[in-house]
Amino acid sequence: MTALLLDAGRGFAQIVELSGLQSALPRIKDSIKYVNTLNRIAMLSQLRYRDSCFYYAGKAREISVRLNYRKGIADARNCEAICYFSLNDYLSAKYFNEALQIYESIDDQENVCQVLMNMSILLSDSGDDRRSIGYMRRTFEMSKSLKNDSIRSLVIHNLLVIDTTIKPVRFDSLFREGFRIAKKYKDDRMILAYEDNLAERLYHKGEKEQAIKILLDSWARADSLGFESEKVSIDWILSNVMAKQGKGLKEVDHLRRGLDASEKYGYTEFYMVFAERLYGFYKRTGQPEKAYHYVALLLSKKDKLAKAADQSGYNYLNYALRENENEELRNKAGWRTKTIVLLSCLFALSIALLFFVSRSLRIKKEYVKVQQKLHETTLGQNTELQRTNHFNTMLISVIAHDVRQPFSTIVMLASVFNHDVNLLSEEEKLGIMKELAETSKKSLSFMDGLLEWIKSKKTGFEYQPEELSINELIIEANTFFKIAQEKKNIKLTGNIPEQTTVLGHKQMLLFILRNILNNATKFSPVNGLIAIDSGIDHGNMVISIRDQGAGMSQRQIDQLFSAGSGDLDHHENSGAGLALSISYEMATIMKANISVASGLGKGTVFYLSLKNS
């Protein structure tokens, strides 16, 4: 984390250039040049003040959109993505991708390379190391053909940080190449980064004193050059070094200094880890009051980040106000001899800030309320979509599982009548026609029931039980399987008293019974027996349907009523797995219960417990 850089270019020269560009900006008349200058200021500003980067990038994008200047839009989006890094990763990734698409469409390879590198860093920060390394390796290969090899120095550095699988010999070769390029361009910022990397390697090799000296010298140079991000990065490394050496007070000094700088200059990702480390230190050393202070800072920052994410970015006015504050800080640093004048300006500005801050807070509260309402609406819509999707899945399964069976029976009977008509007696023909008529009638009845069930589900189904004859239900449910049972010479026996009635929903009970009888018919052997019996248990009518099939293991029984179980993919009947799950759900609606008893080689018994009328 400490070495991930988001921009390339010369170090101290950038600070000088930034001051010159800000001074020259009011005198630029050409719109395109003005946009390019705003974007350059934004990119240079992120070395110190990330909020300044956002401020100038926003102005550049606004003008670029009016001018339809695509490169200006891409440059601004790239800067805004950098600003949102670790603050709102969703927006950061979104803006990087928007910039990448534009750069690719105008064949700007240098910027394509830089954006891909930034996206790799974002992925690494999010914990997606595999994709991060893939992006960085792609960027590394692309950088070989770039005319401006200063970018390659930055790419090599980030590759060495992110890809920990690089072999030592290869690592040393790449390190020398990147360091050489940084020195060639006198890029102070990259030189510092490579020296810090070297210091860490020396420390791990046991040359601890030399490593610490390099890091302290680097911090002093970064301070003299105005590289605040590098100072924070080095403080993080030094805090880790001091922790390993057991120097708790020095560890805390670097953590506090890094935390203060992170807050001042807007380095959110560093602020979080510094605060968390300080909390851990004081908790570990038995200082609860200080530990509480830093955990409060950490929670406060996380709360701000959460609100920022909910609003998909910060309010523009807040950034403008922060930009004014940053401008004053820069003026104070550059013009120390005018301290008295500056203090007067700050006093006048504070009055204006009070007004704008109070207004900003009021606007933010309104935004939070609107965002909360939108969030609640979205959750409600998502819940409704899930219900609809679940119902559609059930409906498709019902159609595939139950509607197909009667039509298969009709097709089979029609085929016999069509091909063997001359071989059939008149009595057999009449029998087939009677069977066709009966099956068709039952199919229409089933379709009417299915349509009523669909209608009730769509309009808000309310379960209304009715008194039903269980024998009539079994006869109707078994209509679709009689031919299959006759072909396998399967005998269906029933031992249920004639007047036995239950309370339930007709179409649901028919669906459940058809599903159980279908499975019993399918898995029963030739000359098998399907036995249907009844009994009373705790006031409920229990219907049992027993077959003489191969049976099931306990593992299969445990998964039997789970939608999407393995049986759904490998079973002969592709709808069986989901149909049993739907049967279980229908039974639950009717306050009934389905259970199964089975064993390999022992057949299967399904039990259906219903309210006794």
Side-chain angles (χ1 to χ4, degrees):
M1 181 193 67
T2 60
L4 300 182
L5 310 175
L6 292 168
D7 183 29
R10 296 182 59 186
F12 184 69
Q14 286 184 322
I15 305 300
V16 176
E17 181 186 357
L18 177 61
S19 178
L21 290 173
Q22 289 173 325
S23 300
L25 191 62
R27 299 191 298 273
I28 299 174
K29 304 302 179 184
D30 181 81
S31 298
I32 299 298
K33 185 177 180 181
Y34 188 81
V35 168
N36 291 337
T37 303
L38 285 174
N39 277 321
R40 182 59 181 166
I41 292 174
M43 185 59 77
L44 294 176
S45 295
Q46 68 89 19
L47 284 169
R48 298 191 71 186
Y49 300 96
R50 284 190 179 170
D51 292 343
S52 300
C53 176
F54 186 93
Y55 174 79
Y56 286 108
K59 293 176 66 175
R61 177 171 50 80
E62 181 182 350
I63 299 172
S64 297
V65 170
R66 290 204 307 266
L67 299 175
N68 196 26
Y69 178 34
R70 301 185 67 207
K71 185 179 184 303
I73 296 173
D75 291 341
R77 277 307 192 202
N78 186 37
C79 291
E80 289 175 321
I82 292 172
C83 293
Y84 278 121
F85 184 80
S86 290
L87 185 67
N88 189 324
D89 287 348
Y90 166 75
L91 286 181
S92 186
K94 179 176 183 291
Y95 293 161
F96 276 142
N97 276 287
E98 288 180 11
L100 180 63
Q101 290 176 8
I102 296 175
Y103 286 140
E104 287 178 337
S105 69
I106 62 178
D107 196 28
D108 187 342
Q109 292 302 306
E110 288 190 1
N111 277 312
V112 167
C113 185
Q114 184 166 253
V115 172
L116 286 173
M117 178 185 64
N118 290 341
M119 293 171 72
S120 170
I121 296 168
L122 182 62
L123 288 167
S124 178
D125 185 65
S126 301
D128 193 345
D129 294 333
R130 183 184 62 81
R131 291 179 63 200
S132 172
I133 292 173
Y135 270 84
M136 190 57 72
R137 287 177 178 173
R138 176 183 170 189
T139 306
F140 175 77
E141 293 301 321
M142 184 181 295
S143 68
K144 293 178 180 178
S145 60
L146 296 179
K147 294 180 180 179
N148 180 11
D149 63 351
S150 64
I151 294 178
R152 183 164 172 78
S153 172
L154 178 59
V155 172
I156 290 174
H157 177 268
N158 287 330
L159 177 66
L160 295 178
V161 172
I162 290 174
D163 191 351
T164 58
T165 64
I166 298 175
K167 300 293 174 105
V169 175
R170 175 66 171 162
F171 187 100
D172 291 339
S173 174
L174 290 173
F175 184 89
R176 287 193 298 271
E177 180 187 353
F179 206 179
R180 177 184 56 78
I181 296 173
K183 291 177 178 178
K184 169 186 171 183
Y185 288 96
K186 298 180 181 179
D187 188 341
D188 299 314
R189 186 167 178 238
M190 287 309 304
I191 290 173
L192 284 173
Y194 276 100
E195 288 179 349
D196 295 343
N197 190 302
L198 176 62
E200 287 190 278
R201 294 166 64 197
L202 288 173
Y203 186 87
H204 291 303
K205 290 180 180 179
E207 301 178 34
K208 298 180 179 180
E209 295 303 321
Q210 184 181 355
I212 294 173
K213 183 178 183 305
I214 292 174
L215 290 171
L216 292 174
D217 290 344
S218 294
W219 192 95
R221 286 173 56 200
D223 185 46
S224 66
L225 294 170
F227 294 161
E228 302 301 336
S229 60
E230 291 303 317
K231 288 165 57 180
V232 170
S233 175
I234 296 169
D235 272 322
W236 175 255
I237 300 173
L238 285 169
S239 70
N240 289 326
V241 169
M242 297 305 168
K244 291 177 181 177
Q245 293 189 338
K247 299 177 180 179
L249 293 178
K250 290 187 177 181
E251 175 192 357
V252 169
D253 287 342
H254 289 293
L255 290 174
R256 285 176 175 172
R257 187 166 66 181
L259 181 71
D260 292 341
S262 299
E263 173 67 8
K264 180 177 180 180
Y265 296 104
Y267 306 135
T268 306
E269 67 276 20
F270 280 109
Y271 184 92
M272 301 291 284
V273 294
F274 278 124
E276 189 168 358
R277 276 277 299 278
L278 284 164
Y279 161 68
F281 176 84
Y282 286 118
K283 180 181 179 182
R284 188 172 61 253
T285 56
Q287 301 180 63
E289 292 185 1
K290 292 184 178 180
Y292 176 79
H293 170 72
Y294 287 107
V295 80
L297 291 180
L298 185 64
L299 293 174
S300 176
K301 180 64 70 173
K302 287 184 176 180
D303 182 59
K304 290 179 181 178
L305 291 179
K307 290 180 179 179
D310 286 342
Q311 297 177 8
S312 296
Y314 277 159
N315 182 284
Y316 179 85
L317 180 58
N318 288 340
Y319 278 101
L321 295 175
R322 290 293 297 274
E323 172 56 28
N324 289 335
E325 294 173 356
N326 294 337
E327 182 65 28
E328 290 171 16
L329 289 172
R330 289 193 295 271
N331 290 337
K332 183 177 180 181
W335 303 94
R336 295 182 185 276
T337 57
K338 299 182 179 179
T339 304
I340 297 176
V341 176
L342 179 60
L343 289 174
S344 301
C345 294
L346 285 173
F347 177 77
L349 182 61
S350 63
I351 302 299
L353 282 175
L354 286 174
F355 169 76
F356 286 114
V357 167
S358 62
R359 181 184 174 192
S360 173
L361 289 174
R362 187 174 65 257
I363 294 173
K364 285 177 68 176
K365 287 180 181 178
E366 293 175 358
Y367 282 169
V368 169
K369 290 180 181 178
V370 172
Q371 193 68 29
Q372 183 64 29
K373 289 181 180 178
L374 290 173
H375 180 66
E376 292 172 356
T377 302
T378 301
L379 288 177
Q381 291 174 342
N382 287 340
T383 302
E384 185 60 32
L385 285 173
Q386 289 174 354
R387 288 200 196 100
T388 302
N389 185 58
H390 178 65
F391 171 71
N392 290 338
T393 302
M394 289 178 63
L395 178 58
I396 291 170
S397 177
V398 170
I399 293 173
H401 187 261
D402 277 12
V403 176
R404 188 175 182 275
Q405 183 65 42
F407 282 106
S408 298
T409 303
I410 293 171
V411 170
M412 185 186 300
L413 291 171
S415 177
V416 171
F417 193 89
N418 184 47
H419 291 94
D420 300 325
V421 64
N422 295 326
L423 302 177
L424 300 174
S425 65
E426 289 300 322
E427 184 178 352
E428 289 173 327
K429 292 177 183 178
L430 289 173
I432 292 175
M433 293 303 295
K434 181 179 179 182
E435 190 69 36
L436 279 169
E438 184 68 20
T439 303
S440 300
K441 181 179 178 182
K442 296 295 184 182
S443 300
L444 288 173
S445 174
F446 165 72
M447 289 299 294
D448 289 340
L450 179 61
L451 291 173
E452 285 298 318
W453 181 62
I454 293 171
K455 182 179 178 181
S456 68
K457 292 290 284 185
K458 291 296 184 182
T459 57
F461 178 66
E462 293 184 8
Y463 172 56
Q464 297 292 338
E466 57 182 312
E467 186 174 338
L468 301 168
S469 169
I470 194 66
N471 280 305
E472 291 178 3
L473 288 173
I474 291 172
I475 292 171
E476 184 173 348
N478 194 57
T479 301
F480 299 152
F481 314 114
K482 288 171 61 178
I483 293 177
Q485 292 166 358
E486 290 173 1
K487 285 183 64 178
K488 295 174 69 174
N489 197 27
I490 296 172
K491 186 177 180 181
L492 180 71
T493 64
N495 189 24
I496 301 176
E498 188 65 30
Q499 302 303 320
T500 301
T501 58
V502 295
L503 290 176
H505 187 281
K506 182 177 181 180
Q507 296 304 327
M508 289 185 181
L509 280 175
L510 283 173
F511 179 86
I512 295 170
L513 291 170
R514 276 194 297 270
N515 186 38
I516 297 174
L517 288 169
N518 179 43
N519 290 335
T521 302
K522 182 184 299 293
F523 295 111
S524 289
V526 176
N527 299 320
L529 174 68
I530 300 174
I532 304 176
D533 293 294
S534 66
I536 301 296
D537 182 31
H538 294 90
N540 291 335
M541 176 64 64
V542 179
I543 309 299
S544 67
I545 302 176
R546 181 186 304 273
D547 66 51
Q548 297 176 335
M552 294 179 287
S553 67
Q554 187 58 47
R555 180 175 176 274
Q556 289 173 307
I557 293 174
D558 293 340
Q559 297 179 350
L560 195 60
F561 298 112
S562 300
S565 65
D567 293 342
L568 187 60
D569 296 324
H570 304 295
H571 203 284
E572 287 181 16
N573 180 1
S574 62
L578 188 54
L580 283 172
S581 173
I582 295 172
S583 297
Y584 190 86
E585 182 176 328
M586 288 180 175
T588 302
I589 293 173
M590 294 187 292
K591 294 182 173 56
N593 182 56
I594 301 178
S595 59
V596 63
S598 184
L600 293 176
K602 298 181 181 179
T604 301
V605 185
F606 278 89
Y607 296 98
L608 178 60
S609 177
L610 299 159
K611 292 290 183 182
N612 190 347
S613 63

